[in-house]
Amino acid sequence: QVQLVESGGGLVQSGGSLRLSCVASGSSFSIYVMGWYRQAPGKQRELVATITRFGSLNYADSVKGRFTISRDNAKNTVYLKMNMLKPEDTAVYYCKAFNNEYAYWGQGTQVTVSS
């Protein structure tokens, strides 16, 4: 079992920045792929970015060049640095830990970008 707690969301103006954090507890953090996903009102949850235990990265096209995912295995934490935020980035952002057998989700943190 892995428990995930996100933080760092909030209200920011267009063009601003936020950094989300997700702290994991329970099973060994380093064995999981970590990801950030988001869900806007009336839309399906979508991938934002993932990072493997070895540091391989994957980003949605809509955030490439603006968002950076990173992880600190010693702190059991994954981060999402979001720059040049746009109103269309407004969503609940969820942290996910997964491997071939299991998937765990955090409770989400709201990010609102005003125009």
Side-chain angles (χ1 to χ4, degrees):
Q1 283 278 359
V2 175
Q3 293 77 44
L4 303 171
V5 179
E6 302 101 331
S7 62
L11 174 64
V12 64
Q13 289 188 331
S14 181
S17 298
L18 284 174
R19 188 178 81 157
L20 306 182
S21 300
C22 172
V23 180
S25 60
S27 184
S28 177
F29 172 79
S30 64
I31 68 174
Y32 293 97
V33 179
M34 299 300 299
W36 286 97
Y37 294 71
R38 66 187 182 187
Q39 188 167 17
K43 295 188 176 181
Q44 289 189 328
R45 193 171 298 189
E46 63 177 7
L47 168 74
V48 177
T50 60
I51 182 168
T52 71
R53 57 186 294 192
F54 302 112
S56 295
L57 308 176
N58 181 48
Y59 292 97
D61 288 343
S62 59
V63 306
K64 282 181 182 177
R66 300 188 299 123
F67 291 11
T68 302
I69 189 171
S70 61
R71 66 191 289 168
D72 185 336
N73 290 336
K75 295 182 178 180
N76 288 356
T77 303
V78 62
Y79 304 96
L80 185 68
K81 182 64 189 301
M82 305 184 292
N83 296 324
M84 296 181 286
L85 282 160
K86 305 175 182 180
E88 51 264 43
D89 295 317
T90 295
V92 178
Y93 283 71
Y94 296 91
C95 177
K96 180 181 181 183
F98 60 99
N99 59 19
N100 290 336
E101 293 184 85
Y102 304 106
Y104 304 97
W105 292 90
Q107 83 289 347
T109 184
Q110 176 70 46
V111 171
T112 303
V113 185
S114 62
S115 57

